[in-house]
Amino acid sequence: MATLSIHFDPAVLARLTSANGDDTIHVTLSLGGGDSTTPAASVTPHGPLAGLMQAGLLKPDTVLTFHQRRANRSGRAVVTAEGRLIVDGHSSTFLSPSKAAEAITGNVINGWTLWHTPDGSTLDQLRQKLDAE
């Protein structure tokens, strides 16, 4: 029978122990060759966010947020290395910013203008910056 061995970096354990009930912690598991010094294979992002990521305008683990005052609704998503979005409260990932936003709002919505990066930029503003370069 195969043996499953999971090793956590001490920083991950520290983060897990300091988390409160409102935090969402994402853990990615991958197959390794048994040598803990082997670096993980690099991942190439695909899909709509790939260009922003390849240009360095959007990085994996970036937290995207939105708040709609009128609807009294907020959303939070984390960008994966593959260029997908992990939306809080949803078990599947989303390739499209609009589909990720729709999963929260329940409406067809432009996720490019809805989601904001930590510095306040929208994904659309990042896309415009990429087009200008």
Side-chain angles (χ1 to χ4, degrees):
M1 174 178 252
T3 301
L4 174 63
S5 177
I6 300 174
H7 302 275
F8 290 99
D9 182 275
V12 172
L13 293 175
R15 176 70 174 105
L16 289 170
T17 58
S18 69
N20 68 43
D22 295 330
D23 288 342
T24 299
I25 298 172
H26 302 280
V27 177
T28 302
L29 301 176
S30 62
L31 294 174
D35 180 4
S36 63
T37 62
T38 304
S42 72
V43 176
T44 302
H46 296 284
L49 298 177
L52 297 177
M53 296 179 76
Q54 291 165 346
L57 297 172
L58 188 64
K59 299 193 181 318
D61 299 323
T62 299
V63 175
L64 303 175
T65 58
F66 75 81
H67 182 72
Q68 295 175 308
R69 285 188 202 126
R70 281 184 165 177
N72 194 27
R73 178 169 47 208
S74 298
R76 181 179 178 278
V78 178
V79 179
T80 70
E82 295 84 11
R84 299 182 74 82
L85 295 173
I86 299 170
V87 176
D88 285 355
H90 293 269
S91 59
S92 60
T93 61
F94 298 89
L95 190 59
S96 157
S98 296
K99 290 294 183 186
E102 185 179 336
I104 296 171
T105 66
N107 300 313
V108 175
I109 193 161
N110 185 346
W112 290 96
T113 57
L114 186 70
W115 292 109
H116 289 82
T117 62
D119 72 0
S121 300
T122 65
L123 293 175
D124 190 53
Q125 289 169 325
L126 295 180
R127 191 167 53 176
Q128 290 173 18
K129 184 177 180 179
L130 178 63
D131 289 344
E133 291 179 353

